[in-house]
Amino acid sequence: AIGTSDGRETPLRSDSRAREMDDAALEKALLLAVSAGDVESDAFASANGADHKKVVGLIKSLESSELVRSAARDHSALKLAAEAETYLTRGTPEAQAFAAVPPGAGVPLADFKKLDKTTSDIGFKQAMQQKWLAMEKGEVPMVVRKAEAVEDTARKYLAAINAGDVASVPPKELDALVKKRKLVKQETWKTFTIGKGAKFALERKKAAADLTKEMLQDGSWRDAEFKQYNLVPGAGAPPNGGCVHPLLKVRQQFREIFLQMGFAEMPTNNFVESGFWNFDTLIQPQMHPARDAHDTFFMKTPAFANRAPEDYVQRVRAMHETGGSGSIGHQYSWKRSEADKNILRTHTTAVSARCLHKLAQDGFRPAKFFSIDRVFRNEAVDRTHLAEFHQVEGVICDVGLTLGDLIGVLYQFFARLGMTQLRFKPAFNPYTEPSMEIFAYHPMLKKWVEVGNSGMFRPEMLIPMGLPEDVNVIAWGLSLERPTMIMYGIDNIRDLFGSKMQMSSVKNNPVCRLGMIEQRETVKATE
């Protein structure tokens, strides 16, 4: 029987053969016990052979229906660690170490170290601290006793704690056993005092969640109890939602601008390229510094791969070695092994080369392509450079295109980014001629900044692909990170991309306003 708060006893199964009840029987027994007075959860669990955690779960469930109420009580006690329990019979390590050293001359250190580690290491250190043992140096180091007899006080204190007599242990010794030696641990747990709730009953009625057809037919809905609906405005947990990274916001706006201008997106899902597509198709010589390991990441496995058509490979080879169509080439011995090396692509122009080659093979037609994706460079990481970044690239292929067409398209493109004042500076690129660096007056920074690079692809690159000789290709490119950093006021690229970026900046960054300028401003800039 369980004693209640008013002194009465409630009959419950308490014999040694009591087995764990099923949920329904346990709930019924608990409600019956509570009907006679307050009940302690640990005593109830013990009397019914039930796990206390299961009883606690049942209490919480009944509380949600207001059948019972409960008050938690915190408990704590000191318990011996498993290691300390062995010391009650064998003695502590320091006592074992003392016992292992005979009186008088002692024992050689080498022989002492052959004992188990608990005795020879932990026990020896503790015994030396208490000045029970010492080590005498000499030709043969010896472990000797420094005391005639010792009292294993730590074992005595462990026995007192195990018996529940914690008060007899001095506070300093107790603190050492708990914090320093970790032979004693503090265990905490909760029990609950259970009483009648506002809607107490000896049996819980399951509330119906829905009004069913059967209830309407037999009329049982009149006496049924229904679950309450939560119709309070704003009640409940707010729904979780994802947040878009600033880099992805700017990327989407760039993509929208290209699509508005009639460009088609190129497939950029291959981060690994062969040196052939990344360098050789662009007529970049194999001895160029950009192809060295200090600028490019080379793959170890697989180290080589090149699925380019063999006839195209041979035309590219000939253009490198001897030239053609007015070009003398680079005048060197081109190596297939160098072209077949796998690398992490250093620019998305490798993707442009693939698309232009496919366009030539499928039958030329005027086309406009763009790509926005990740590229990799073996560069030192600093506040403005990472080993990986995103490149934005636009390509237009048509008959008779000129440098004037390129400048006109650049005005249209950058005007949609809010930069209507452009300047151009002659530059050198291995695969474009002529080439231009693009500068723009940035309205947010109030100064001229370099915003990209551009040029016309060289005939040496286009002719091996099979494009007609009167077809020209204009192209330009820029990074995605730089405009994003300017727009969101970030001065260190590692705060934008990587492990140092704060999640709060992802959640709270404003809308990207690139491409949201008036159409008349675009027309005016183009004029």
Side-chain angles (χ1 to χ4, degrees), residues 273-309:
E273 282 283 9
S274 66
F276 178 80
W277 286 109
N278 198 84
F279 297 118
D280 293 281
T281 60
L282 308 183
I283 313 301
Q284 195 162 336
Q286 292 183 339
M287 71 288 290
H288 195 281
R291 301 182 71 155
D292 293 339
H294 64 269
D295 282 328
T296 302
F297 291 107
F298 288 86
M299 297 288 292
K300 286 186 177 180
T301 305
F304 300 94
N306 186 2
R307 295 187 176 89

Side-chain angles (χ1 to χ4, degrees), residues 23-38:
D23 293 346
L26 190 65
E27 178 177 314
K28 186 174 181 181
L30 179 59
L31 290 173
L32 181 62
V34 172
S35 67
D38 290 351

Side-chain angles (χ1 to χ4, degrees), residues 445-479:
L445 299 178
K446 308 297 182 185
K447 65 178 181 179
W448 290 89
V449 295
E450 183 180 355
V451 292
N453 214 323
S454 64
M456 301 181 66
F457 284 150
R458 298 172 65 99
E460 295 97 317
M461 171 184 168
L462 304 179
I463 291 173
M465 293 179 177
L467 290 170
E469 291 192 5
D470 59 346
V471 169
N472 292 330
V473 179
I474 59 176
W476 71 98
L478 63 154
S479 78

Side-chain angles (χ1 to χ4, degrees), residues 122-194:
I122 300 173
F124 187 40
K125 290 178 182 177
Q126 290 291 331
M128 290 182 69
Q129 287 179 8
Q130 298 185 45
K131 298 182 180 180
W132 292 358
L133 297 176
M135 186 177 69
E136 292 183 351
K137 296 182 180 179
E139 186 175 343
V140 179
M142 301 290 291
V143 178
V144 297
R145 290 186 176 186
K146 299 296 287 184
E148 294 294 331
V150 297
E151 181 185 3
D152 193 355
T153 54
R155 178 184 178 183
K156 182 178 70 173
Y157 295 147
L158 290 175
I161 294 171
N162 191 51
D165 187 15
V166 179
S168 65
V169 182
K172 184 177 179 180
E173 299 296 332
L174 180 62
D175 190 64
L177 291 173
V178 174
K179 296 181 179 179
K180 188 175 181 181
R181 301 190 65 176
K182 300 187 184 327
L183 296 176
V184 179
K185 56 186 178 180
Q186 183 90 22
E187 289 189 351
T188 61
W189 69 95
K190 283 186 177 182
T191 61
F192 296 85
T193 301
I194 315 153

